[in-house]
Amino acid sequence: MLLVQIDGLSRTQLERAIADNRLPHLKRLLDREKYRLHTFYSGLPSSTPGVQGELHYGERCAVPAFSFRENQSRRIMRMFEQASASSIESRLASSNTGLLTGGASYCNIYSGGADDSRFCAATIGWGNVARATNLPRWLSVLLWHSPSLLRVIELSVIELALALWDFAGGLSSGFHLGKELKFIPSRVAVSIMLRELTVMGASMDLARGLPIVHLNLLGYDEQAHRRGPGSAFAHWSLKGIDSAVRRLWNEAQRSAARDYDVWVFSDHGQQHTIPYPTIAGKTIQRAIADVFDRGSVEATDPRAGGVQSSRAKWLGHGWWSRLFRRHEDQDDIQPPAVTEVAAMGPVAHVYPAETMNADQLLDTGRRLVGDQHIPMVLIQHHNRVMAITRSGEFDLLEQPGQVLGDRHPFLCDVAVDLDRLVRHPDAGALVLVGWSLEGPPVSFAVENGAHAGPGPEETRAFAILPMDAPLPKGYKGYVRAADLRNAALHLLGRDTPKDYLPGIYPVSDFARGARRLRVMTYNVHACVGMDGRMSPARIARAISQADVDVVALQELDVGRLRSGTIDQAHEIARLLEMEFHFHPAWQLEEELYGDAILSRLPMRLIQSGPLPRPPNRERAEPRGAVWVEIQWDGQPLQVVNTHLGLGSRERVVQAEELLGPRWIGHSDCHDPVILCGDFNAIPKSRAYSLLAQRLRDAQRSLVGHRPRATFLSGRPINRIDHVFVGPTLQVRQIEVPRSELARVASDHLPLIVELEREVVRPTSVDSHPTFADLASAPSDRGK
């Protein structure tokens, strides 16, 4: 698996960027590559440490904020720092195995158990690869990737020029000179250097076949914090991110080591925020000091900064890290007589120096909201979590709509997760939240975009997943990190929770209905793709993405040495969880070669057998057919799959045989009936004309549809794969997928036909028309 995370991009901003053509590759995934856009609920806190704690280790609310106090040790934790991130990860890893075990992790908070962890907060720098690589190997890597390194230099120069322009705009808007200067190298480091080095490293990991790679692209989030999530500079970074996703996706498709699933998602969104000092005229630390009426209030960061610039230090230690130092090293273990404030972004935790009872906390919360302009304060009050806002005081779980708004997209989940956050062992006695229903979102840091709280934008991210991603059966319109974790574990063949029931999120369950049937015919070329690689799993994936009910496959190997003695029919059916019937048109001792029908619906074999060859074609490749009866919507459906010969006379003889009394003309072959396969016959051929006289070509039956070729897959020019249907079947839709997967998996493209049954009334109670009766009867469907 390749997991590509676009940090901080909400679904709202994603859709806007796609509309503005800033994300052409992601749009292509949705339009052509059978991907589906899902809403992703971040959980709380809606920040990377919280989301990745759930994704990597399965623990919800792994931390109570980006910055907080570990109450047992009284140590201040800042999740962008190595000591804090590695300490939290050690605790998480003691309970659960990391998702990235055996893989690689880039630019994340945690390593996720990866063997190779690079540019992550928990490891910082090049990780194990730097320690395991000697100088000659480094030089060879640099030489091999010299074009990419030149690209990094070129893009860095461009980004530096843009950063200088942005710097001038920042000064004119009243930003601090020192902070603006520091943001220039940070922007280049995160938006260009980290991104390009990550793409280079992940590409090598895909080429060598690591089982799972998770990388985090940070450029948008970094600039959205500074200029706002909807700003032009933040959206400018998305073009480079889209290019990075495209290159990684292509590397995954080209990997000779594995068939990779590529998932693209964001961990959270961002709210446009107003800095708290702008509203209150003072820092949050000063406000807390005023309420507690004492001077002994300690801030974890006196400047109340966000994560800006901090992630640039992940490139490594030494002089680079010192360039972005935010404050002098200090003893993070605070004396017990000091009231502490951990404030980074729109969530702050207050740790009073003295224990306060429930009523004292309630009174302090009222003063913070009423006198100090804090949008929301959360406290534990007699085993309940109370939310204090300008509108009043509410029981969070009993009155979530009055706290979060009845129209919040994740109302119930957010209320439960917010309750869990307040009860976290390391949460403060008072939890301050910068979002509420009464006013604009506030960040306690000096930033124009922020996240971590319960706001709709900061919790509403996205996930772009293949349409057959095994999400839970109880899909409720959005996914969260635990769903992605369980689905990934399932696809990787690792243990999943007992209560997780993987299940495709198919169109059929929601839009198609039981009366619609999707049928595919597909010549799979012995599962050998256009890249020369044999992969039944890739064929199964192409079928799965089409969400079909019945599959007719041609050119399958069973037990053949050239295919590694794999039973391809059985393997594809196993991967798709379908029943199948296989007919060997050709057999040499234990080696078989032929055709199969697979279905997710109940079916039984009627017959299978060879097709004749004309006298002058005795040495031609043997051909055959397989006929099954499928129970569809409580009634039988006849399906015949075949693969005709290469000679024109041979095909005519075989077409006549199929239309004769052994197959389509058989007395048991009642309509509805489908005849499909690779006929090696173009529409102008004699064999095609014979079949089209008795049955309807589905591609020509759909009004307004222009028939599409299926061979060769890279550039299809011939229409030789066909689906013929009886008179009682209506063609509703035709698809010939042109995704990258379909174009490379075989030398044919699959042909998909969506059908609907017409009701045919028998002439008497005891009479049931055969296909021959219906084929010769006049049709009134046009009236």
Side-chain angles (χ1 to χ4, degrees), residues 628-644:
V628 302
E629 181 178 273
I630 294 175
Q631 290 299 314
W632 167 35
D633 195 21
Q635 299 182 49
L637 168 73
Q638 313 303 319
V639 180
V640 180
N641 176 30
T642 189
H643 187 191
L644 301 189

Side-chain angles (χ1 to χ4, degrees), residues 53 65 81 83 130 208 291 333 360 411 425 447 479 490 493 508 515 585 597 632 639 648 671 704 710 731 735 771 780:
E81 294 181 347
R208 63 194 179 110
V291 169
I333 300 178
Q360 289 173 321
L411 180 60
E447 54 189 357
V479 297
H490 176 73
S508 57
R515 292 186 59 84
I597 297 177
W632 167 35
V639 180
S648 58
D671 202 55
T710 54
V731 179
E735 295 178 32
F771 167 72
D780 61 353

